[in-house]
Amino acid sequence: MSRAAARKYVYDFSEGSREMRDLLGGKGAGIAEMTRIGGPVKVPPGFTITTEACVAYMRSNRFPAGLEHQVERALARLERKAGKRLGDVDDPLLVSVRSGARESMPGMMDTVLDLGLNDDSVRGLAKRTGNERFAWDSYRRFVQMFGNVVRGVDGSTYEQAIERTKRAKGVRLDSDLGAGDFRKLTSTFKRIFERKTGEPFPGDPREQLRQAIRAVFGSWNGDRAVEYRRQNRIPDHWGTGVNVQQMVFGNMGPDSGSGVAFSREGVTGAPQPSGDFLIDAQGEDVVSGVRNTLGLPDLKRVMPKAHRQLTEVLRTLERHYRDMQDVEFTVEEGTLYMLQTRSAKRPAQAAVRVAVDMVGEGLITREEAIGLVDAGSLEALLRPAFDPARKYRPLVTGVAASPGAAKGAIVFTAGDAIRRAEAGVDVILVREFTEADDVAGFHAAKGILTARGGKASHAALVARDMGKPCVSGAAALEIDPDEKTVSVDGQTLREGDLIAMDGTAGLVTTEDVPLTDPKIGKHFKTILAWADEIRSLGVRANADSPEAARNARALGAEGIGLCRTEHMFMEADRQPKMRKMILADDERRRRKALGELLPLQQRDFEGIFKAMRGLPVTIRLLDPPLHEFLPRKEELIVEIDRLVRAKRRGARLDRLERELRRLRELEETNPMLGTRGCRLGIMFPEIYEMQVRAIAGAAINVRRRVREEPHVEIMIPLVDYERELEVMRKLVDDTVARTVAEAGAGPVRYTVGTMIELPRACLVADRIATQASFFSFGTNDLTQTALGFSRDDVEGKFLARYIETKIVDRSPFETIDVPGVGALVEMAVKKGRSKNRKVTLGVCGEHGGDPASVHFFARAGLDYVSCSQNRVPVARVAAAQAALAQRSA
Ligand code: PEP
Ligand code: MG
């Protein structure tokens, strides 16, 4: 390919914009946009190598044609702009090299600072700045970072050399070292580099740059990055951009520094900027969490001008982006430079507050506010907190880094967290500070506690991302990871000891503080009210007890979309009665046993109808195979064997033998595909009859008491054939009529509909619709039967491998498989409505509370989604977002 025809792989910051995020990466687009804004926003110049260049490099393991030439030209432009040349012996240009993918990947990609230093230019830097110590400190940092990031030399080798130097000098801090020490360290570091890589440290800045660019490209396929993408469902083919930017120095003395800031309070969303800052330091020191940081009030005290500038810049950026921003900045000898801006990741509580406040401030519309909230994260707002009524003695305080409360056994490594969590233990991961390798432990832990780092530390960012509580920077903790102990003021805790932590307040205690269920605060309420104005998709809850119904209603459910009646048979006092019913040898005995269950079911239905006054309640008749209610076969056999050996014939042994016989009669090879759902109703109509009697009786009683007709929908599960529904419908109609007549009551209002949860039902939905007032898509079973994936097994068996192998990118039981299961739903919607225009359409599988699936159901034209209680608010917001997406489509 000729040079002229080569694709454009390099963009100066002044050429890019926020719209070019896919091409330039998030960081590149952010820097370019800030460069365009100008005014108070000062950005050091530079250029971005595109994500396409990275993709091309990954394909051939070579720089694509034209890239090196374009970099060379961009570098020449940068040198002109900066008025300095790379490698210059008098006044060298130094650059940073940073990765930046389309989505930010915290802690995953690595940065190289001070690139361009060598044995000549270090003297130029010292001359230009008049600060020899600074120049040598920068050089040793560069050699260290380059070796570590670009060539994979273990960072601890360098740290040990620094420690040795400090020990030899008898000092404690890096800042106690002088120019001579750093010069010696630089030589040591270069020797380490040569020993570890087998090559001399590259002195040519252009070679340094080449290697750094290659390393950034390569880091896209590093283990940490691949793992992060897998967990966050970021496609592998996006690639990363590379940003090459003129260095500004936060480590030039007391009027310099580096920091990160949010345009609003990062954890609560309160309308004041917040941040972490270090004097005389480079940016990496702030985010690594190795030094404890200062806050913005400190910046105001020590550098009032820079603080004023930063406040103005944050306001400007927020107005420009119409969203809360998260920035990186450096102050070089009193002048503020912006290095990055992006929409701030924020915990759910901050997200709702920011969205509501920004509408109040006239910055955005309500619709935009809804768009700013990550619906899926809202469930976190319904997370537990410490019981405020309970007094306790704090063990230690730290930074309130990620909200919510948790308690559990202390563990000190990610591996231990995983092991104990797998054994069913709640654990809290306690670390000095955290790094990418700890992330697997975050998943396993209920909460994270660190001794170092602030709100911008790795621990804080990752925990917030995952919606886990985190307390960071609890400096009083003395952690001994080898001994697996942590001490505070002479009190020592060991692995396995209990602690409770409150990430909203930054508190830790050894007391077993009760956790309370969370409440919906005022900002959250406002967001939900706006969502309700915008959405057209209804939101119901899956609930099967009066208490759950009340809770669901409080969370905004507009009805119950699924009451699984089998759950009502599982309670301890009902199990024996249910068992008696199943073991009955004939219909007469079965009816007698059912007679004992009826009042219990009826009482529950009454409670549910009362809780849901005025709102629809969809009650599904018994669904699971009957043997699920009997004891496990193996246990029965062992017990029978024991009694026989002990020659203890008698009533108990007779009963157990009867149970075993019945269990064997009912047992099926594929129970999920066996006698369940309406098949049970057809085999044992008296069971469904009892349930319908309980429903009708409850409706009559509640109507009498509250003078309002309950809105009853009776749902038949696992229907394949329209005739099944026809037979069941007749059973329901006859039973209701009989119950009403026996009670001498007026007619009960109810409708009969069906679950659509089998592929055949979707294919013949037009026929089924003639018998149904409503369809409720049971996407759990529909996914199971359409894919032939056992819903109880795949997640623990092959799904992880499927995700790894990129056969699927997430569990189809979590997010609807649009091309397959989704197509079946769409077909059933179309067919169903073609024969019954008025058929109400809903979904009650787990997917009803998953935001991505909610978008699909809205597009498919359903009337409502029904989900577990705590996801009702999630579904309300997701439904509003779906409506907005449809409007703008
Ligand atoms: C379903 O199959 O989606 C459903 C809601 O029913 P269950 O999960 O009870 O089988
Ligand atoms: Mg089902």
Side-chain angles (χ1 to χ4, degrees), residues 384-392 405 407 500 511-517:
F386 276 6
D387 181 351
R390 171 68 184 264
K391 297 255 176 307
Y392 59 90
K407 52 188 179 182
E511 292 176 43
D512 191 357
V513 187
L515 305 183
T516 60
D517 289 336

Side-chain angles (χ1 to χ4, degrees), residues 620 623 676 718 755 757 778 780-781 791:
R620 183 180 71 187
D623 183 14
R676 57 173 287 223
L718 224 71
M755 300 277 297
E757 50 187 340
N780 303 332
D781 273 308
R791 61 191 266 191

Side-chain angles (χ1 to χ4, degrees), residues 215-288:
V216 174
F217 285 164
S219 72
W220 177 257
N221 278 338
D223 294 346
R224 289 184 306 166
V226 170
E227 179 57 20
Y228 185 89
R229 287 203 294 280
R230 200 180 60 74
Q231 276 164 16
N232 293 277
R233 300 184 178 125
I234 295 175
D236 286 337
H237 64 263
W238 280 1
T240 176
V242 185
N243 299 293
V244 179
Q245 186 169 30
Q246 180 182 2
M247 282 292 302
V248 282
F249 300 97
N251 54 339
M252 283 187 75
D255 58 351
S256 300
S258 286
V260 293
F262 290 106
S263 57
R264 300 188 180 229
E265 215 290 318
V267 173
T268 63
Q272 303 89 34
S274 64
D276 290 85
F277 173 75
L278 280 175
I279 298 170
D280 196 12
Q282 289 192 328
E284 295 314 289
D285 304 341
V286 181
V287 283
S288 69

